[in-house]
Amino acid sequence: MKITFYGHASLGIEVGGKHIIVDPFITGNPQAAAIDIKTLKADYILLTHAHGDHVLDVEAIAKNTNAVIVSNAEITSYYAKKGFNSHPMNHGGNWKFDFGKVKYVNAIHSSSFPDGSYGGNPGGFVIEGEHKNIYIAGDTALTYDMKLIPLRTKLDLAILPIGNNFTMDVEDAIIASDFVECDKILGYHFDTFGYIEINHEESIRKFFDKGKDLMLLQIGESIEL
């Protein structure tokens, strides 16, 4: 499984021979100016919620790739009405796709489209690939619901928001990593704008002091599990 960071909360995942884009907000992020969305491959687009900083480039990428949009029922209905391929889910449900199993799990946040349309309840994703399992938390507060994840899935990586103000901060993300029983963390949703700027060295040290590994990738950088 290869995971590429496209800035903010945008990710590319290659697993099982398929390409997945998560929460594409790229063209609106000056820090991601080097990423050309026209070159991105996508068989699926996974959306945690409907905020503009997570869905900005959905339509452009979907038109270019014919990707299937996977999210909650309200978000997929929104895009289906525009003619896009979609697969609706809801909290607690899972589906076996051709790249692995996906479960839509709880998140504590808000969710509405930039045009004011209702975006349903926000969520996160647990992806079980053939060899590795990951948790993409989406935008969320720390929640006890995270404790449910390791009851079903042993994680190899947890992708957690750490920017504070709109989501968890670093300290809460450390607790979240305890809840999901995963000590390998990819941080995201930080530094894009003033409200969520973090001290990188301090954040990494705080995780290290708890025996955990926090990775903060450069935009365009990848890791392999």
Side-chain angles (χ1 to χ4, degrees):
M1 185 182 292
K2 181 179 180 181
I3 300 170
T4 303
F5 181 53
Y6 292 131
H8 195 53
S10 302
L11 305 165
I13 302 172
E14 296 177 40
V15 57
K18 299 297 181 179
H19 293 82
I20 303 164
I21 301 292
V22 181
D23 288 356
F25 172 74
I26 299 169
T27 59
N29 181 4
Q31 298 175 17
I35 305 297
D36 181 2
I37 65 170
K38 295 178 182 178
T39 67
L40 298 181
K41 297 179 180 179
D43 298 292
Y44 299 91
I45 300 172
L46 271 57
L47 303 177
T48 62
H49 64 293
H51 286 162
D53 61 331
H54 293 255
V55 304
L56 177 67
D57 297 314
V58 169
E59 295 187 23
I61 294 173
K63 285 178 182 177
N64 189 46
T65 62
N66 203 33
V68 176
I69 298 168
V70 180
S71 190
N72 66 35
E74 290 80 9
I75 289 175
T76 53
S77 175
Y78 177 91
Y79 287 112
K81 289 176 182 177
K82 294 187 173 189
F84 294 102
N85 297 323
S86 64
H87 179 103
M89 300 190 73
N90 220 318
H91 298 86
N94 64 74
W95 188 261
K96 189 172 183 180
F97 293 91
D98 51 7
F99 60 84
K101 188 171 76 171
V102 175
K103 186 172 186 177
Y104 192 64
V105 296
N106 288 346
I108 297 180
H109 196 58
S110 54
S111 179
S112 59
F113 285 94
D115 65 7
S117 299
Y118 178 52
N121 292 315
F125 296 100
V126 175
I127 300 176
E128 295 184 5
E130 184 178 359
H131 302 293
K132 300 293 182 179
N133 304 323
I134 66 173
Y135 167 45
I136 304 169
D139 284 12
T140 186
L142 177 65
T143 167
Y144 249 84
D145 289 336
M146 294 171 179
K147 284 180 171 283
L148 299 175
I149 292 172
L151 297 180
R152 291 286 300 270
T153 305
K154 180 175 174 55
L155 296 174
D156 297 285
L157 179 72
I159 303 173
L160 304 177
I162 57 173
N164 203 5
N165 195 70
F166 299 111
T167 68
M168 297 186 291
D169 61 6
V170 167
E171 286 79 7
D172 277 356
I174 291 171
I175 298 171
S177 70
D178 288 335
F179 284 3
V180 300
E181 299 180 11
C182 185
D183 292 334
K184 190 170 187 178
I185 310 301
L186 176 61
Y188 77 162
H189 208 278
F190 64 92
D191 282 359
T192 316
F193 32 83
Y195 286 120
I196 60 173
E197 291 178 353
I198 65 168
N199 183 312
H200 289 212
E201 291 184 1
E202 182 180 76
S203 300
I204 291 170
R205 178 185 55 77
K206 286 181 178 180
F207 273 85
F208 180 81
D209 288 346
K210 297 294 185 179
K212 302 173 185 290
D213 178 20
L214 172 66
M215 293 173 286
L216 301 178
L217 299 180
Q218 297 295 316
I219 294 175
E221 188 177 3
S222 303
I223 58 170
E224 292 194 21
L225 301 178

